[in-house]
Amino acid sequence: MTKTDERNTGAEEFARLTDPFRRELLAYCYRMLGSVHDAEDLVQEVYLRAWRSYGAFDGRASLRTWLYRIATNTCLNALQHSSRRVMPSGLASPSDDPPPPGMRAPEVTWLEPFSERLTGRAPDDPAAIVASRAGLRLALIAALQYLPGKQRAVVILRDVLAWPAADVAEMLDMTGAGVNSTLLRARARLERLVPASDEITEPDDPVRRELLDRFARAFEAVDIPAITRLLTEQASWEMPPVPHWFSGRDAIARLLGDRLARVPGGTRLVPAVANGQPAFGMYIRRDDGVLRAHSIQVLTVTRSGITHISSFIDEELFAYFDLPLVLAEAEPLP
């Protein structure tokens, strides 16, 4: 066998053994970085580094642990050279009046949503499904961005992925006591940043499905009173890259009155799932009469109603949700 043949055989073996971990590493890097674009780039770098050092892999740790070590070090290095990804609510107090059309804050590095399809096959265990979704919720990802890199890694590995403390300590070159104290500090800060989640209904909840159907119908009909009735009293709405955000039904009603198309049929909402939460791809009818991609709306739904809507205005995100940039008409307009 020639050296070329040996290398090709080694590459095939490497791909066969490591490819099953690619999607979970993507989700891990997303949790660390808050951006699906950055996470994809980092996973490519992780696999390149792993391939280069594969010959030295001695099997003392599992292949999965070895890949996570490389991914963690790669993410921590990237975080040293990047700014924290944020949401508008992390920058200033809520606004009372809608901002001028077209206002953006391009200098801000914004958080991005994560499509459920990128995580691959869902776990078989219902409890594992719930835990997986909870570990990707938008509020948690936003809060994680406020933690130093190593604290962020410890929280994700210990609380989200349930890794043993000893494994995390070895991966991060820490002691077990160091991991535990780091975790306690991180948890204390997250408790102040992450809203209580015990009232969040699960995606299969029929009440949730009915509420979302009513929301979509009201939105497409431009029925602002019906939309606001589905919101909790202290609901909030934000729209990165617009730096303003809005809190309370009255403020949101003013926002929608200013921004929504006046004629029914001017918008369409297509169901999706983002960060383990219900979502919609929103399309707006442009001057040419065509419904074109506008934003990905991610909703936080509780038993009391919709508590938060994050509308990410970025048509490039639609590809991650397998949504087209142009929406064909499903039925004649009224």
Side-chain angles (χ1 to χ4, degrees):
M1 181 180 291
T2 66
K3 289 185 177 179
T4 300
D5 290 337
E6 290 178 352
R7 183 170 181 83
N8 288 340
T9 301
E12 292 173 359
E13 177 189 66
F14 174 80
R16 177 178 60 82
L17 295 175
T18 61
D19 277 356
F21 303 108
R22 186 178 291 270
R23 286 179 180 259
E24 65 175 276
L25 287 170
L26 178 64
Y28 174 62
C29 291
Y30 167 75
R31 291 178 176 109
M32 289 287 290
L33 304 172
S35 162
V36 65
H37 291 93
D38 291 352
E40 285 188 325
D41 291 342
L42 261 291
V43 169
Q44 293 294 337
E45 184 175 344
V46 167
Y47 272 75
L48 180 59
R49 290 187 180 189
W51 167 239
R52 287 173 175 171
S53 57
Y54 183 59
F57 175 61
D58 56 15
R60 284 185 296 177
S62 71
L63 185 64
R64 180 172 182 254
T65 299
W66 180 68
L67 288 171
Y68 267 87
R69 176 190 286 272
I70 296 173
T72 301
N73 290 333
T74 304
C75 287
L76 291 176
N77 182 63
L79 289 172
Q80 293 178 352
H81 307 285
S82 63
S83 56
R84 180 180 68 228
R85 288 189 171 267
V86 298
M87 294 290 284
S89 55
L91 297 177
S93 299
S95 301
D96 291 326
D97 299 311
M103 173 172 282
R104 300 287 190 273
E107 72 281 0
V108 178
T109 307
W110 299 105
L111 197 73
E112 294 177 351
F114 190 81
S115 170
E116 185 169 82
R117 77 172 184 83
L118 298 176
T119 61
R121 189 177 68 85
D124 296 327
D125 181 5
I129 294 175
V130 172
S132 175
R133 287 171 173 158
L136 277 171
R137 285 201 176 274
L138 203 55
L140 173 62
I141 301 301
L144 286 171
Q145 306 308 301
Y146 287 85
L147 299 180
K150 188 162 284 191
Q151 283 190 16
R152 205 178 301 182
V154 169
V155 168
I156 296 169
L157 292 168
R158 289 286 290 121
D159 283 353
V160 177
L161 301 179
W163 282 50
D167 292 354
V168 176
E170 181 179 357
M171 182 183 300
L172 297 177
D173 294 322
M174 300 172 66
T175 64
V179 167
N180 291 333
S181 62
T182 298
L183 183 60
L184 289 175
R185 291 195 300 273
R187 282 174 176 170
R189 187 165 191 187
L190 287 177
E191 285 179 1
R192 298 193 297 270
L193 294 169
V194 182
S197 60
D198 57 347
E199 290 242 335
I200 295 177
T201 56
E202 292 306 317
D204 293 333
D205 188 337
V207 174
R208 180 200 64 85
R209 290 198 301 269
E210 194 270 339
L211 185 151
L212 293 173
D213 287 343
R214 289 166 58 197
F215 176 83
R217 290 195 302 268
F219 206 93
E220 293 177 355
V222 200
D223 188 343
I224 295 175
I227 296 173
T228 55
R229 283 195 296 270
L230 299 175
L231 306 176
T232 61
E233 192 66 39
Q234 298 302 318
S236 55
W237 195 305
E238 46 194 335
M239 309 171 293
V242 178
H244 299 265
W245 66 287
F246 303 86
S247 179
R249 288 174 177 162
D250 291 343
I252 293 173
R254 287 194 295 272
L255 169 69
L256 295 177
D258 181 76
R259 290 300 175 91
L260 277 186
R262 299 296 180 183
V263 180
T267 60
R268 288 285 192 276
L269 297 185
V270 177
V273 179
N275 295 79
Q277 300 171 230
F280 292 101
M282 177 180 170
Y283 293 80
I284 291 182
R285 192 176 303 282
R286 304 299 182 180
D287 292 340
D288 58 5
V290 176
L291 288 163
R292 300 185 183 276
H294 176 266
S295 56
I296 299 293
Q297 294 183 352
V298 185
L299 286 67
T300 301
V301 179
T302 72
R303 295 183 180 92
S304 302
I306 300 170
T307 64
H308 189 91
I309 297 177
S310 297
S311 184
F312 295 88
I313 306 174
D314 182 355
E315 66 178 30
E316 292 185 5
L317 295 171
F318 278 63
Y320 291 110
F321 294 86
D322 279 341
L323 293 174
L325 292 178
V326 175
L327 190 65
E329 294 290 351
E331 58 186 8
L333 292 178

